[in-house]
Amino acid sequence: MFLFKHLSVSVPVFPGFGFIGRERMKTPLIYEIGGGSGTCAKGILDYIMLNAPTRVYNNMTYISVEISPSLAEIQRQTVGEVRTHLSKFRVECRDAADRSGWGDVDQQPCWVIMLEVLDNLPHDLIYSENQVSPWMEVWVGKKHDRETHSELFKPLQDSLITRCVEIMDWEKDHSNQSGSVSMARSIWSKVFPKPRRCWLPTGCLRLLEVLHGVLPKMSLIASDFSYLPDVRIPGERAPLVSTKKNGSSLDYGSYLDAKGDADIFFPTDFWLLERIDHYCSGQLKMHKDNSSKQGKKRRTITLDTSSFMEEFGLPTKTRTKDGYNPLLDDFKNTKFYLSVPTHNIK
């Protein structure tokens, strides 16, 4: 919820990053995935109503894709505080990652907004015995006493996990690494073996595969946590798992200890997010086929929240008398990811 009330100052257009031209913006189509309480939707609708030409506001469509029925109703109430918004706004209560809910492919340019969505999407854990051993899937099963759980390691077999590993290791697999370097790494791993654990954003991959498939001309805006403090769980991109007991927060050292009463938050690896985005658009597949001369299908940029707000927000409106500016000084562990289509659509 940290940026919802501020986003309305900037979402409709990005100067210098605008591939949706003026003609296309006459009838803007905006999707929001996981709209929370509807504050962002209302802020954007308010902004367009007050600042855009009347025809733009009258013809726009804002669709919230919300999996929670209770939040869907709260969104309707929030947006409905301005009665004229209701004819432009609707909530579709469904899973955005389910392809069947989207219907036919829509070639119309549109915006897709995801704020604090990626940190709550499903992730999969993989494990390797050392620096060069192949990755294995981590499964969780109950022990014989049926109360505690333990991890089981199996060869990669899930197609979603396999695709995510390929994206993560793509540059390493396609680099011109010499045989001597590979041999040195192998020897080092035997002398100083170091087990590896890695959390994969498979839920993000699945969602972006669906979005690129049904909305090929979308412009994407995503914001989330780039890192989380005080994470005790081991592994790359490991989550923060916590619960509240007697009014105090308790962070778990193992996800196996959390039995349905804990919150889980994953940090977003924005470098990997960009790779997944390009993969789902077809860009990495083109490179793999040695046909990269067609050019990139997406233009992307990752910005710290303060940089994003300085460029697209109104930070002068939020500066306090002592110089403190929550819009720029807070949220240091969050970033924005912007991705827009280029003209290379073949």
Side-chain angles (χ1 to χ4, degrees), residues 76-324:
R76 294 187 187 99
Q77 295 174 4
T78 300
V79 174
E81 293 174 5
V82 179
R83 293 187 61 183
T84 57
H85 289 349
L86 291 175
S87 62
K88 290 86 179 165
F89 177 82
R90 73 173 185 266
V91 181
E92 297 181 0
C93 196
R94 58 184 175 86
D95 182 0
D98 184 352
R99 174 62 181 85
S100 63
W102 288 93
D104 296 333
V105 175
D106 188 352
Q107 294 289 346
Q108 178 182 356
C110 64
W111 293 101
V112 175
I113 302 171
M114 298 192 298
L115 306 178
E116 286 191 52
V117 171
L118 301 176
D119 64 305
N120 289 304
L121 291 180
H123 285 60
D124 279 280
L125 177 60
I126 55 176
Y127 171 83
S128 174
E129 293 180 346
N130 54 53
Q131 298 92 318
V132 296
S133 295
W135 289 109
M136 294 187 290
E137 296 177 6
V138 178
W139 291 44
V140 175
K142 283 188 176 181
K143 292 184 177 179
H144 298 299
D145 58 18
R146 298 186 179 180
E147 292 185 1
T148 58
H149 294 78
S150 62
E151 293 181 339
L152 304 173
F153 306 114
K154 299 184 179 183
L156 294 184
Q157 54 185 320
D158 184 277
S159 60
L160 194 62
I161 294 176
T162 300
R163 291 199 301 277
C164 208
V165 170
E166 289 175 351
I167 296 169
M168 180 180 67
D169 291 341
W170 187 87
E171 286 191 345
K172 180 180 69 176
D173 294 340
H174 290 75
S175 63
N176 297 320
Q177 194 176 77
S178 66
S180 58
V181 173
S182 298
M183 183 178 295
R185 289 182 64 230
S186 178
I187 296 173
W188 183 266
S189 66
K190 293 178 181 178
V191 177
F192 301 102
K194 182 179 180 181
R196 297 182 296 165
R197 299 170 69 86
C198 181
W199 298 81
L200 297 175
T202 46
C204 172
L205 173 57
R206 181 181 173 216
L207 176 58
L208 286 182
E209 283 182 335
V210 170
L211 291 177
H212 277 286
V214 297
L215 304 171
K217 295 183 180 179
M218 71 169 178
S219 293
L220 174 65
I221 307 170
S223 179
D224 229 300
F225 300 99
S226 56
Y227 70 90
L228 296 169
D230 305 321
V231 174
R232 298 174 56 195
I233 295 174
E236 188 177 355
R237 291 182 291 274
L240 176 67
V241 181
S242 65
T243 188
K244 282 196 177 286
K245 289 187 177 181
N246 300 322
S248 300
S249 295
L250 172 65
D251 295 337
Y252 288 100
S254 170
Y255 68 95
L256 296 174
D257 298 333
K259 300 178 180 179
D261 61 346
D263 293 321
I264 182 167
F265 306 95
F266 286 91
T268 295
D269 182 338
F270 282 86
W271 176 88
L272 183 55
L273 172 61
E274 182 182 36
R275 306 300 297 178
I276 292 174
D277 186 30
H278 284 307
Y279 173 88
C280 295
S281 73
Q283 175 62 20
L284 285 188
K285 297 174 187 175
M286 289 195 303
H287 277 277
K288 187 177 286 189
D289 296 336
N290 296 320
S291 56
S292 59
K293 293 181 180 179
Q294 296 180 45
K296 290 186 176 181
K297 289 188 174 183
R298 310 287 298 180
R299 179 174 295 182
T300 62
I301 187 172
T302 299
L303 297 171
D304 294 332
T305 293
S306 59
S307 299
F308 177 89
M309 291 302 174
E310 284 181 336
E311 180 70 21
F312 304 116
L314 296 174
T316 57
K317 301 292 185 180
T318 57
R319 184 178 296 112
T320 61
K321 291 182 178 179
D322 63 358
Y324 168 71

